[in-house]
Amino acid sequence: MTTLEKAQLWLTDTFDTETKEKVQQLIDSNSPDLEDSFYRELEFGTGGMRGIMGVGTNRLNKYTLGQATQGLANYLHQSFPNQEIKVAIAYDVRNNSKEFGKLVADVLTANGIKVLLFKNHRPTPELSFTVRDKKCNAGIVLTASHNPPEYNGYKVYWNDGAQVVPPDDENIIKEVYATKFDAIKFDGNDDLIEWIGEEQDDVYIDACMENSLYQNVGRDNLNIVFTSIHGTTYTTIPKALKKAGFTKVDLVTEQMIPSGNFPTVESPNPEEPAALEMAMDLAKITNGDIVIGTDPDGDRLGIAVRNLNGNIELLNGNQTNTILTYYILDQWKKQGKITGKEFIGSTIVTSDVFFDVAEKFGVDCKVGLTGFKWIGKMIRDFEGQEKFVCGGEESFGFMTGDFVRDKDSCGSILLACEIAAWCKANGKTMYQYMIDIYKEVGMYYEGLINVVKKGREGAEEIQEMMKNFRENPPKEIAGSPVAEVKDFKEQTCLMVASNEKKVMDDIPKSNVLIYYTEDGTKVCVRPSGTEPKIKFYVSVKDSINSEADFVAKLPILEKKIEAIKESLNLN
């Protein structure tokens, strides 16, 4: 079926007048948006369904959301027969999120499903917590994380509070694609909606404190600067910091105003220093010790601390998670809680430093595919056998304990502030604490290279790049011979010197390649599941014995990453 024929199907009486008018306008104007709006159907990636808002099968709108929700409703009835089914729904600050939340609730209640709907914006991790706390069968959050303002999205959580994984995700997708647009039930029943408000925030914050705080040292002497970057955490983080006893908290007031247009930043992504620029500027005025920002749906966090020169510097996700993980395990060890049956969670694109940290403390480090859904699956798979301590991934996500089954900025922020306060009370900075950890386990340094390829042609280019990397792997990277090639699509590991190929079937198939070189460099190549990008995750390492060593070797490792970019023609 051609793109035009697909579009013409949206001119039938199944669709409302406004939708039909917009589709007709695309057809009449021969707009290039017509192709991108209809050439495919939105898919569930690592972060669920995410796309640009507008009319069409490849857009987020009433009908694609309705189709997804009707398919989910059908699968819930199959999975929980003859039961009262409950689904919690939250939404972030994005344009249309609140309306989409009610739309999704209406489809569920039209299918006889009880809905617990938040009255206003709430962070994604609070939704994950609520699914477990309220014993729901599933959860839905309307969010596109840190994508640009024209995006929105839809994530599905299962009854354990984690995002859906196989076989549930595959079965839901089958039901979604089997659902015709004229089969969507839009006429909701408000009698089946239970509204959730601020009372749930307190329960969630208490759980964050219980799972994230270990020692009350110097909390009233830490200068904190926080920004929600126009996102949902204006509802929770200031309250949580106050409740935990952090009294010196300065807010970036302009950015505490929720807005789906994110007016003060180009991108509301705390991975990018520019998103925290206003917070860093405020820290100069307030003599801030730590700067914290969260993304629109409040699961990711960016942390900036004072470096060895006294300047505020944004830590990358691996650095932040190294500090948080090491500190937690150190506290567990001091409390005698490590028995050898504990584990931390990580992902294949995250730094290998976590294997070293886990080994130091005598716990296991389990690794899954990209996305916190896989860390959530680890917890479920090993429940009753091994105790989950904490988990993180390089893309600025971390969680403490298993009370939330997704990355959680609230618990992570409380923990980070405790560490910063403890460091300050002991005459050092969080940055110096990071260097102390590197002295113990080795110094790792990472770089992320994003190659953006938009639209249908871009998607094809990304496919071609992956095909070329798979069929013609580099023999050396920045002068160091490639020693090992892991192909997660083929589920094989090739030891280059011996030409020995092993099967890796402990992790599900995914279109990801990892190269290890003889000098310990790791390069991971992966197309994004939610954005028009191919990503290159680079990790290099060395050993250090002192702060002076760190200062000397940091520029060397930075240059090495630049050489790797050049070697792979990514400049």
Side-chain angles (χ1 to χ4, degrees):
M1 189 182 293
T2 67
T3 302
L4 179 59
E5 287 169 336
K6 285 183 183 177
Q8 285 169 336
L9 291 176
W10 282 53
L11 300 175
T12 62
D13 288 341
T14 297
F15 301 89
D16 62 46
T17 304
E18 185 183 357
T19 298
K20 288 189 283 189
E21 285 174 356
K22 286 179 179 175
V23 173
Q24 190 66 59
Q25 196 174 356
L26 286 176
I27 295 170
D28 292 345
S29 63
N30 199 22
S31 169
D33 289 340
L34 179 69
E35 171 74 11
D36 200 46
S37 298
F38 284 96
Y39 84 92
R40 65 171 187 172
E41 293 176 285
L42 277 181
E43 299 173 9
F44 276 75
T46 56
M49 184 169 69
R50 197 182 297 183
I52 294 170
M53 291 176 278
V55 295
T57 55
N58 189 34
R59 294 286 186 261
L60 248 289
N61 53 61
K62 172 181 178 179
Y63 297 97
T64 52
L65 286 170
Q67 183 185 43
T69 309
Q70 185 62 55
L72 173 63
N74 294 345
Y75 184 63
L76 284 167
H77 281 300
Q78 293 167 23
S79 303
F80 305 103
N82 307 314
Q83 296 181 37
E84 181 194 55
I85 299 171
K86 290 195 297 184
V87 176
I89 300 174
Y91 49 88
D92 72 6
V93 301
R94 287 182 173 272
N95 298 324
N96 301 315
S97 279
K98 189 166 191 172
E99 293 79 6
F100 285 162
K102 182 60 165 66
L103 169 79
V104 167
D106 286 343
V107 175
L108 291 173
T109 59
N111 283 273
I113 293 171
K114 184 176 179 181
V115 168
L116 283 66
L117 180 60
F118 279 93
K119 294 175 184 175
N120 217 323
H121 320 115
R122 284 300 181 275
T124 290
E126 188 170 350
L127 180 279
S128 170
F129 171 79
T130 299
V131 169
R132 294 173 58 74
D133 182 54
K134 299 286 191 181
K135 296 181 172 52
C136 296
N137 304 85
I140 298 167
V141 62
L142 284 304
T143 177
S145 188
H146 56 275
N147 278 50
E150 64 269 24
Y151 280 79
N152 214 317
Y154 179 96
K155 289 201 288 192
V156 179
Y157 291 73
W158 209 234
N159 58 1
D160 61 343
Q163 289 182 54
V164 287
V165 293
D168 293 315
D169 58 351
E170 293 155 3
N171 292 335
I172 291 167
I173 289 166
K174 282 178 192 170
E175 288 295 330
V176 171
Y177 290 158
T179 300
K180 304 295 183 191
F181 289 120
D182 60 6
I184 304 167
K185 298 175 182 175
F186 284 114
D187 295 328
N189 176 5
D190 284 355
D191 291 342
L192 289 177
I193 294 178
E194 177 186 329
W195 295 92
I196 305 176
E198 290 182 6
E199 72 288 343
Q200 187 66 6
D201 300 343
D202 293 320
V203 181
Y204 164 62
I205 288 168
D206 286 346
C208 288
M209 290 172 60
E210 186 183 332
N211 284 271
S212 307
L213 299 175
Y214 292 87
Q215 53 179 338
N216 188 352
V217 179
R219 290 186 196 172
D220 58 352
N221 193 36
L222 182 72
N223 297 322
I224 301 168
V225 173
F226 174 71
T227 173
S228 63
I229 318 180
H230 303 289
T232 56
T233 53
Y234 75 93
T235 62
T236 51
I237 301 300
K239 187 189 287 189
L241 288 170
K242 184 178 181 182
K243 201 166 190 179
F246 296 99
T247 56
K248 296 181 177 180
V249 182
D250 289 291
L251 306 176
V252 182
T253 52
E254 304 96 318
Q255 294 184 330
M256 297 302 288
I257 301 165
S259 171
N261 296 319
F262 315 115
T264 64
V265 291
E266 278 191 30
S267 168
N269 184 357
E271 294 178 66
E272 298 170 12
L276 293 179
E277 194 172 323
M278 291 178 74
M280 290 182 185
D281 287 346
L282 181 58
K284 291 172 189 171
I285 298 167
T286 63
N287 197 28
D289 299 303
I290 184 169
V291 171
I292 304 163
T294 55
D295 67 344
D297 70 320
D299 54 1
R300 294 169 198 258
L301 73 157
I303 289 179
V305 296
R306 296 207 176 264
N307 61 22
L308 296 178
N309 298 320
N311 298 320
I312 292 284
E313 180 179 320
L314 178 64
L315 302 175
N316 70 38
N318 288 304
Q319 291 171 328
T320 295
N321 292 349
T322 299
I323 295 167
L324 302 185
T325 302
Y326 191 99
Y327 179 86
I328 290 175
L329 290 174
D330 195 35
Q331 292 300 315
W332 276 50
K333 184 180 179 182
K334 286 172 180 172
Q335 294 175 10
K337 290 167 66 176
I338 294 178
T339 65
K341 289 189 176 294
E342 294 77 29
F343 75 95
I344 61 173
S346 185
T347 72
I348 56 175
V349 302
T350 299
S351 173
D352 286 356
V353 68
F354 296 100
F355 290 111
D356 298 329
V357 172
E359 186 179 354
K360 175 175 173 58
F361 288 100
V363 301
D364 190 17
C365 177
K366 299 188 191 298
V367 176
L369 293 177
T370 312
F372 251 76
K373 60 193 277 184
W374 301 108
I375 295 178
K377 185 176 187 297
M378 288 173 201
I379 299 172
R380 185 168 64 186
D381 288 348
F382 290 92
E383 216 146 19
Q385 303 168 55
E386 292 181 55
K387 177 71 176 170
F388 175 76
V389 181
C390 60
E393 62 180 359
E394 57 72 43
S395 58
F396 288 58
F398 192 80
M399 68 177 180
T400 59
D402 61 1
F403 71 107
V404 170
R405 299 290 173 97
D406 205 348
K407 49 187 177 282
D408 174 27
S409 69
C410 186
S412 304
I413 287 168
L414 291 174
L415 175 66
C417 289
E418 176 178 304
I419 296 169
W422 169 75
C423 287
K424 188 175 183 180
N426 284 279
K428 67 170 70 177
T429 66
M430 204 163 164
Y431 198 87
Q432 288 173 306
Y433 181 56
M434 177 184 76
I435 295 171
D436 289 344
I437 295 168
Y438 286 152
K439 284 190 271 185
E440 292 286 330
V441 299
M443 177 181 174
Y444 284 76
Y445 189 72
E446 298 82 26
L448 173 62
I449 303 129
N450 289 311
V451 179
V452 178
K453 302 282 184 182
K454 292 186 177 180
R456 185 175 195 163
E457 285 184 12
E460 290 167 358
E461 277 187 73
I462 288 171
Q463 281 183 8
E464 192 58 35
M465 287 175 76
M466 287 302 296
K467 183 170 182 274
N468 189 49
F469 273 108
R470 185 165 275 114
E471 294 176 359
N472 305 293
K475 302 254 188 317
E476 64 173 37
I477 298 174
S480 182
V482 172
E484 188 179 344
V485 180
K486 290 185 174 182
D487 186 335
F488 290 87
K489 187 177 181 183
E490 302 296 330
Q491 292 186 309
T492 58
C493 176
L494 173 68
M495 306 305 295
V496 175
S498 63
N499 203 34
E500 182 187 358
K501 196 175 271 192
K502 299 175 185 173
V503 175
M504 303 187 305
D505 54 5
D506 55 331
I507 292 178
K509 289 185 179 183
S510 184
N511 190 16
V512 180
L513 293 163
I514 295 180
Y515 305 109
Y516 283 98
T517 68
E518 288 181 2
D519 67 358
T521 293
K522 174 185 177 183
V523 177
C524 177
V525 188
R526 168 187 167 262
S528 171
T530 55
E531 298 173 276
K533 294 177 181 177
I534 181 168
K535 297 186 169 189
F536 296 82
Y537 306 80
V538 181
S539 176
V540 292
K541 65 178 184 178
D542 208 330
S543 58
I544 59 168
N545 297 309
S546 64
E547 279 186 14
D549 260 1
F550 177 87
V551 171
K553 289 184 175 178
L554 182 58
I556 295 169
L557 295 181
E558 287 173 337
K559 282 180 185 173
K560 192 170 183 178
I561 286 181
E562 287 304 311
I564 290 166
K565 284 167 71 173
E566 196 172 316
S567 174
L568 295 173
N569 298 315
L570 299 176
N571 286 333

